[in-house]
Amino acid sequence: MKTNYQDIDRIHYEGRGSKNPFAFRHYDADAMVMGKSMRDHLKFAMSYWHTINAGGTDMFGSDTIDKSFGQSDPMARYKAKADFAFEFMHKLGIGYYCFHDVDVAPEGATLAESTRNLEIMTDYLLAKQKQYGIKLLWGTANMFSDRKFMTGAATSGNADVFAVAAGKIKAAIDATIKLGGDGYVFWGGREGYDTLLNTDVGLELDNLARMLRMARDYGRAQGFKGDFLIEPKPKEPTKHQYDFDVATCVSFLQKNDLMADFRMNIEANHATLAGHTFQHELRMARVLGVFGSIDANQGDLLLGWDTDQFPTNVYDTTLCMLEVLKQGGFDKGGLNFDAKTRRASNDFEDLLLAYIAGMDTFALGLKKAAAIIEDGRLDRFVAEKYASYTNGIGKKILDGQVTLESLYDYAKDLRDIDVASGRQEYLETIINSILFD
Ligand code: XUL
Ligand code: CO
């Protein structure tokens, strides 16, 4: 199987009329949108696990694509994977990548052996980063695949598992710092429960806080200046995960005095699993001051699990990029494609086409979001909706100059209060006209 794309050049921008499948129609990296290049707005990152490792396995069948890159020796295979990964990012013009410890190095029989392998491979990755000018967006430790994590890592009932998890986090933070990563992610895949009948929720939540505090203290002591990121997900693989959604994570961080160091890594399909829109989770993160980074994908709303599809829905990417623009852009975060090709899209061309589709969909979303802001009608509508707070009694409420008694006196003789229409349909028509006219 062809894996080196020898006959496919770097992917270039050809513009809207192009029918070349190996070209961008919207992503023009150097084009300026609201004073910043598309490259800097979007900060695309490649997910190592789906792109370099995932072979299409599902509950009913094994791999449909071979990603061993012709190597049987474990270390040689991981080096070949890295060679492919950097060539792939270079072809697409992707500037960042993300990984779990086990994505980039073979696992040993012990934590010490795995850590040695990780050290060898991070030397290799560092050289590749320098060669290609590609950076690490974030690193993390996989604390969900191995059987010892079956009832959690930081929230396991077994203290030895807690200890191994802590050791893995230490090694993964060391790797992230060595590679200059801007973030360190915690996705609590099995930090939750399948039944309350066997679960001490209070102890588990306290242990989760203990683990995050130790990770923060260790990282900062080692000079890590990046963001610690929590990636909320309500369920899957467990029935209930403690990092349910942004609001739940924020209350946990506040209770445990961790707000100063932690932000959110928001994933589109995790938002919808929580019964929220992607935009809701981004807005909550923005308003609560924890907007960090994004795992970009889309789900299938007719299915009840995390399908991690490449994003092709322009409406969603537009509303996402609207939140990113309103936030003032990414600080240390970026747009990581936590997305995998479908099981039946099983050759290496599909991988390239999937990234082109995702990058183009976000580039178009960015342009449309900028157009919504430049159009101004939405912002003007919202300003008008809350105008009663800019003077009179509304201003006094915001300035804290009222009490329940003073408001009683103010309101006691009011009649027929006229609340303006929410105009949802009109506002949705504005979005449609900007997207499609
Ligand atoms: C799983 C998921 C993870 C995290 C990193 O749903 O999104 O891949 O992004 O652990
Ligand atoms: Co993710």
Side-chain angles (χ1 to χ4, degrees), residues 8-25 353 356 360:
I8 299 172
D9 190 19
R10 289 195 75 181
I11 308 303
H12 296 290
Y13 171 72
E14 290 187 3
R16 289 175 62 169
S18 174
K19 297 238 174 356
N20 175 4
F22 297 104
F24 294 119
R25 273 159 290 278
L353 293 169
I356 293 168
D360 250 354

Side-chain angles (χ1 to χ4, degrees), residues 49 138 231 265 267 270 295 336 338:
W49 51 105
W138 52 256
E231 186 176 317
N265 183 42
E267 179 160 330
H270 296 183
D295 268 5
N336 170 48
D338 193 353

Side-chain angles (χ1 to χ4, degrees), residues 143 154 162 169 173 184-188 191 205-219 228-230 243 249 252-253 256 258 261-262:
M143 306 200 296
F162 184 96
I169 293 172
I173 289 177
Y184 184 85
V185 163
F186 292 89
W187 171 59
E191 313 292 26
L205 285 172
D206 287 346
N207 277 351
L208 186 56
R210 286 187 179 98
M211 188 70 90
L212 296 186
R213 218 173 286 125
M214 284 192 293
R216 188 267 319 267
D217 292 346
Y218 177 75
F228 289 96
L229 296 157
I230 294 190
D243 299 333
C249 289
F252 175 84
L253 292 174
N256 293 292
L258 289 164
D261 297 276
F262 282 78

